[in-house]
Amino acid sequence: MKLLTCNTHSLVEDKYEEKLQAFVERVAEEQFDVIALQEVNQTHGGVKVEIENPEYLVTDENPVITSDNHVYNVVKMLADKGIHYYFTWTPIKLGYDRYDEGIAIMSRKKPEEVKHFYISKSEEYGDWHSRKVIGVKIEGCWYFSMHMGWWQEETERFTDQWEEFLANISEDDKIYLMGDFNNPAHVREEGYDLVLNSGFYDTYHLTGQKDEGVTVVKAIDGWRDKGAFAKLRIDFIFKNHDTEVESSQVIFNGDNGPVISDHFGVVIKDEGV
């Protein structure tokens, strides 16, 4: 089983169409089993599309999807290659004053269940602090796409968002958390340690076959005011069972595939489910 997580920074990126194509080509080559995406954008007020694709799994809010929705186009381009993915997407907030910013999950197998919920105190669409989680259940295992806030936030603290997330899951389920956690792995007694102390394991540390693990190498939105900047590992795949992972690697970093976003992607191979 291969899992991929990537904060796509979609539509915002320079040369976006080239990067979209590169992403699709890599997915077509690898055919990841589950893909968690963050910052999955579409133009706010754009041209609505009527989706008749049976692979589209609506959330209970049944959001409008427009013609430039990132995950919609990824799935459509893959389908043109004869590769079919189920997908779901939920909008969270207005990004950059022009995009419906959301999170998404793609999967090769059809999920039995889809759910999404707010983890932030704010549920205002115009408030950039608003945060949601989306998850799919496949063969009894839950996969969540996460885009968390920062530890230092005064009004929307990571601790509160994490507690809200835990309140919406069951400890009895097998769970993978995939996404941008905005809490660096090297910083002690903050968000990263909180996740580990809550019964989750960083898959990066469950394998001997891995690279440096760094997913951000420059000052990006949300980090420019955080003081001295260093290379960061802030994109993770966690799971709540400590079985060995075959491998963990960073992709779309210029060495292992072209750079397609201000974040690199993380891929694991895991037979632990």
Side-chain angles (χ1 to χ4, degrees):
M1 181 182 67
K2 288 191 287 189
L3 307 181
L4 163 67
T5 184
C6 186
N7 180 325
T8 65
H9 203 225
S10 55
L11 275 66
V12 185
E13 283 287 307
D14 292 334
K15 299 181 179 178
Y16 168 68
E17 295 298 334
E18 287 182 23
K19 294 176 179 179
L20 170 63
Q21 185 65 48
F23 181 82
V24 169
E25 292 296 335
R26 186 63 179 261
V27 174
E29 176 187 343
E30 300 268 5
Q31 298 192 31
F32 306 101
D33 295 284
V34 180
I35 302 172
L37 303 174
Q38 304 85 45
E39 292 193 39
V40 182
N41 298 319
Q42 66 179 23
T43 299
H44 182 68
V47 178
K48 180 181 177 181
V49 292
E50 297 294 338
I51 301 180
E52 299 179 355
N53 186 340
E55 283 79 29
Y56 173 52
L57 305 171
V58 298
T59 57
D60 55 20
E61 64 185 355
N62 195 14
V64 169
I65 289 185
T66 64
S67 59
D68 62 354
N69 180 285
H70 179 69
V71 69
Y72 166 75
N73 281 295
V74 167
V75 170
K76 186 170 65 172
M77 292 166 71
L78 287 166
D80 290 342
K81 296 176 178 291
I83 301 168
H84 297 279
Y85 272 88
Y86 294 94
F87 74 103
T88 187
W89 175 80
T90 185
I92 304 171
K93 59 191 176 186
L94 188 65
Y96 297 93
D97 296 322
R98 62 179 298 190
Y99 299 117
D100 296 317
E101 181 185 315
I103 48 178
I105 297 181
M106 300 166 51
S107 63
R108 294 287 280 157
K109 293 182 179 179
K110 185 176 182 178
E112 300 107 52
E113 191 176 343
V114 177
K115 66 179 177 181
H116 65 104
F117 50 89
Y118 283 95
I119 54 172
S120 57
K121 295 177 182 177
S122 174
E123 298 182 11
E124 295 295 325
Y125 201 67
D127 184 355
W128 66 270
H129 294 96
S130 295
R131 301 275 175 178
K132 263 187 189 177
V133 166
I134 194 167
V136 297
K137 189 176 186 180
I138 303 171
E139 296 183 339
C141 184
W142 279 99
Y143 302 84
F144 289 97
S145 182
M146 320 276 290
H147 192 185
M148 306 293 289
W150 293 266
W151 184 262
Q152 302 93 338
E153 285 296 319
E154 295 181 4
T155 58
E156 289 286 353
R157 299 184 305 166
F158 180 94
T159 51
D160 295 332
Q161 294 175 9
W162 181 246
E163 288 175 6
E164 184 64 23
F165 172 73
L166 293 179
N168 280 275
I169 63 172
S170 170
E171 294 180 356
D172 296 330
D173 289 329
K174 281 192 173 181
I175 297 171
Y176 285 86
L177 312 181
M178 307 164 64
D180 174 3
F181 281 73
N182 275 317
N183 277 256
H186 71 277
V187 178
R188 301 277 65 82
E189 298 184 5
E190 291 191 0
Y192 179 79
D193 283 351
L194 181 58
V195 174
L196 298 186
N197 292 334
S198 302
F200 286 88
Y201 300 88
D202 183 355
T203 56
Y204 180 79
H205 292 305
L206 296 177
T207 179
Q209 187 177 335
K210 58 191 174 186
D211 50 24
E212 188 180 15
V214 169
T215 59
V216 172
V217 295
K218 62 181 181 181
I220 61 174
D221 292 344
W223 284 96
R224 292 188 176 90
D225 60 347
K226 298 296 189 291
F229 187 83
K231 293 181 178 180
L232 301 175
R233 189 164 73 88
I234 60 174
D235 300 85
F236 306 100
I237 300 178
F238 296 104
K239 64 178 181 175
N240 65 348
H241 42 294
D242 63 349
T243 51
E244 185 177 354
V245 173
E246 181 180 338
S247 64
S248 176
Q249 62 176 325
V250 174
I251 68 171
F252 301 127
N253 61 354
D255 294 320
N256 187 355
V259 174
I260 62 162
S261 171
D262 57 358
H263 289 244
F264 305 149
V266 176
V267 174
I268 68 165
K269 293 182 181 179
D270 186 12
E271 302 302 328
V273 177

